[in-house]
Amino acid sequence: MPERTPYVAGNWKMWGSQAEARDLVAAIAPRVPAPAEVETAVCAPFTALATALEAAQGTDLAVLAQNMHQAQGGAFTGEVSAPMLTELGVQGVVLGHSERRQFFGETDRALQEKVPAALEAGLRPILCVGETEEENEAGETQRKLRQQVQEDLNGLAPQHLAEVVIAYEPIWAIGTGKTATAEQAQEACAFVRALVGDKSKEAAAAVRILYGGSVKPANAAGLMAQEDIDGALVGGASLEAESFLAIVEAAKGG
Ligand code: PEP
């Protein structure tokens, strides 16, 4: 079985002036472990990407965007393409975050094109999937995950599946302080891995699956110790250097 390197990414959402981004990256970047031990990334708003990249230069902290358009270019006012991000030096992109799905009409159909477009441009995608509270309570978690994983990865050849990082983020746990239990998160992440296994057994063994949803220093180690949880996508706790670094530290034992 391939060793899966832990991965911890901080999603800043719509937070961060250039000065704040510079200060936060300056506090984090020199202290992250070597990528062979834990891969680390911050996902900055478009306007702070260049500043974050400059502050992270020469360190092992990667800088990612939070969205992109699937086309290379064209008449799509207000959008940003994958090649525009790689030109800046951005290494990856969050795709299908529940806030984009919920508030900005992100669809599985668009994600089917965004995932291969990101890889083609040299960006590592973090594809987010997860159920709402109502779906969870109605016992529909697996149905929702099956739909999202199958549709969103449909445009990808099996040999590229393991280049995607998948984040299981139950929507009811994002920004709410309500974390899934380690057992709930493990069950869902194992199910996501099995879905990847329906497409390729090799990819299922190699693909990194993160948990996201109110991850904090106090609960990170328990979550990342689970067999099928390879790291964390962290929102609120990534806005403070010490709490983000404590979660990165917890990933070393995961
Ligand atoms: C997120 O933004 O993806 C997230 C999981 O946020 P939080 O950690 O604040 O719940």
Side-chain angles (χ1 to χ4, degrees), residues 11 13 97 169 173-175 212-215 233-236:
N11 175 21
K13 312 193 189 206
H97 191 281
E169 297 209 309
I174 298 178
S214 299
V215 176
L233 182 55
V234 185

Side-chain angles (χ1 to χ4, degrees), residues 17-74:
S17 66
Q18 296 198 44
E20 287 167 327
R22 187 178 299 110
D23 289 351
L24 187 51
V25 170
I28 292 171
R31 295 170 58 194
V32 297
E37 193 171 15
V38 182
E39 278 185 55
T40 55
V42 292
C43 313
F46 289 130
T47 49
L49 285 172
T51 305
L53 281 160
E54 195 185 312
Q57 212 168 26
T59 75
D60 291 316
L61 181 71
V63 175
L64 277 53
Q66 299 172 14
N67 183 35
M68 53 163 252
H69 194 274
Q70 57 271 39
Q72 298 255 315

Side-chain angles (χ1 to χ4, degrees), residues 102-120:
Q102 187 181 348
F103 302 127
F104 303 101
E106 179 82 289
T107 63
D108 291 314
R109 182 73 194 84
L111 289 163
Q112 219 170 82
E113 295 178 16
K114 287 188 181 194
V115 174
L119 286 174
E120 218 166 286

Side-chain angles (χ1 to χ4, degrees), residues 101 108 111-112 115 127 129 148-154:
R101 293 178 189 259
D108 291 314
L111 289 163
Q112 219 170 82
V115 174
L127 173 68
V129 296
Q148 292 182 325
V149 171
Q150 287 182 346
E151 289 189 26
D152 300 354
L153 296 179
N154 197 34

